[in-house]
Amino acid sequence: MASHLLRQSSPHLQSLRSIFPYYKATLPAVTKPPISSLTGSLPHLRSASSSVSASKQIMANAKPFLAAVENRRSIYQLSSSSPIPDARIKEVVTHTIKHVPSAFNSQTTRLVVLLKENHNHLWDTITSVYENLLPPDVFAKSKPRFDGFKAAYGTILFYEDTTRMREFQEKFKTYEDKFPQWAEHTSGMHQFALWVALEAEGLGVNLQHYNPPIDGRVGKEFGVPETWNLKAQMVFGTPEGGAKEKEFGGVEERVRFFE
């Protein structure tokens, strides 16, 4: 607006005052308002601006997660130490079991975390079970593998609570036959989430399945209810070696994308 239009005696200013009586006697200097003031006075602009910022933030936040997913690998050379304190391991485990989803929010997953001497005792027990189960020559070949797992820092045992599952089967009879399958789904999600989280904390991790032959002995040694069904054993410790080379099949063959 030309400077003569802003003079106090200007008829244009007088016209503005008659239309907007709340205007002050003098108009403020004409300046370019900051975006924040515009979005503050115009909610629809604020909402749009916030949405764009939120979208960019989501994309930025997704990158570390996808990198962590990519870095999740099976690491077998592990030491009996941890790069993080036990309190942090407990925090990661409890956060995971609280927030990983389950069908109908059934929360059937149960975890047993064994560290240090308890971890060693677990693998002594598993080794003993398989020594009695396998022919001597086969066990001799397997023994170094068991020793390797024992050399790590800890193991997480993944269970599904069949009593809890049965409660939901009774409550939702229409889906009664689906709950065992859904329990496998949620167990897998817990395994994956913890695997990614622990490796993001600097630990090396591998996943084993020596159940069901070990179920009875392990349950007895660690006071696990008989209604808990063992699914997997997650071994972790400070990595002392890298992962093996991994070949990837064509993604196009495994994903169908419709726009």
Side-chain angles (χ1 to χ4, degrees):
M1 186 179 290
S3 60
H4 72 277
L5 295 179
L6 298 180
R7 296 192 186 101
Q8 299 304 307
S9 59
S10 168
H12 298 284
L13 181 57
Q14 299 301 323
S15 297
L16 284 173
R17 285 178 177 146
S18 65
I19 299 172
F20 303 108
Y22 55 85
Y23 267 51
K24 293 182 179 179
T26 58
L27 288 177
V30 179
T31 58
K32 183 179 179 181
I35 293 297
S36 59
S37 65
L38 287 175
T39 57
S41 59
L42 300 174
H44 62 285
L45 287 181
R46 183 173 68 249
S47 177
S49 175
S50 300
S51 297
V52 172
S53 299
S55 296
K56 290 181 178 179
Q57 186 64 37
I58 289 171
M59 287 188 289
N61 289 342
K63 290 180 180 179
F65 172 73
L66 294 177
V69 170
E70 182 178 347
N71 291 333
R72 182 225 52 80
R73 298 296 307 278
S74 295
I75 307 296
Y76 294 99
Q77 293 175 285
L78 304 172
S79 74
S80 58
S81 64
S82 171
I84 58 176
D86 294 350
R88 178 57 180 166
I89 295 173
K90 183 177 181 179
E91 183 181 4
V92 169
V93 171
T94 53
H95 186 87
T96 298
I97 199 168
K98 180 178 180 180
H99 293 288
V100 169
S102 56
F104 288 82
N105 196 31
S106 52
Q107 302 178 42
T108 52
T109 299
R110 304 289 182 264
L111 304 175
V112 176
V113 183
L114 305 172
L115 306 178
K116 305 168 187 171
E117 291 305 316
N118 286 304
H119 160 84
N120 292 342
H121 183 53
L122 169 71
W123 286 100
D124 284 339
T125 301
I126 293 175
T127 301
S128 174
V129 169
Y130 275 87
E131 184 176 16
N132 294 325
L133 183 67
L134 299 175
D137 58 329
V138 176
F139 174 75
K141 295 178 182 179
S142 302
K143 181 66 161 54
R145 189 174 178 85
F146 293 131
D147 292 341
F149 299 137
K150 181 181 177 180
Y153 184 74
T155 301
I156 302 173
L157 303 177
F158 291 81
Y159 288 89
E160 286 296 307
D161 186 347
T162 59
T163 298
R164 177 73 172 174
M165 186 196 311
R166 190 60 196 163
E167 291 174 4
F168 278 80
Q169 288 177 303
E170 292 294 332
K171 187 176 182 180
F172 301 99
K173 298 294 288 185
T174 303
Y175 307 108
E176 182 177 8
D177 63 324
K178 298 296 184 183
F179 276 97
Q181 180 183 7
W182 292 339
E184 299 287 347
H185 294 171
T186 192
S187 181
M189 286 189 282
H190 281 81
Q191 293 165 36
F192 177 75
L194 271 174
W195 198 336
V196 171
L198 291 175
E199 290 210 351
E201 295 284 340
L203 287 155
V205 182
N206 63 74
L207 190 67
Q208 304 304 315
H209 303 88
Y210 285 102
N211 46 292
I214 66 173
D215 293 9
R217 283 279 304 277
V218 169
K220 182 179 180 181
E221 294 293 333
F222 296 101
V224 177
E226 293 183 0
T227 55
W228 291 14
N229 188 2
L230 184 59
K231 298 297 181 182
Q233 305 87 54
M234 180 172 286
V235 185
F236 60 91
T238 299
E240 292 194 331
K244 298 179 180 179
E245 289 294 326
K246 185 175 183 179
E247 295 183 2
F248 296 91
V251 175
E252 298 79 7
E253 301 172 1
R254 295 183 283 166
V255 178
R256 295 186 179 185
F257 193 85
F258 296 87
E259 295 187 57

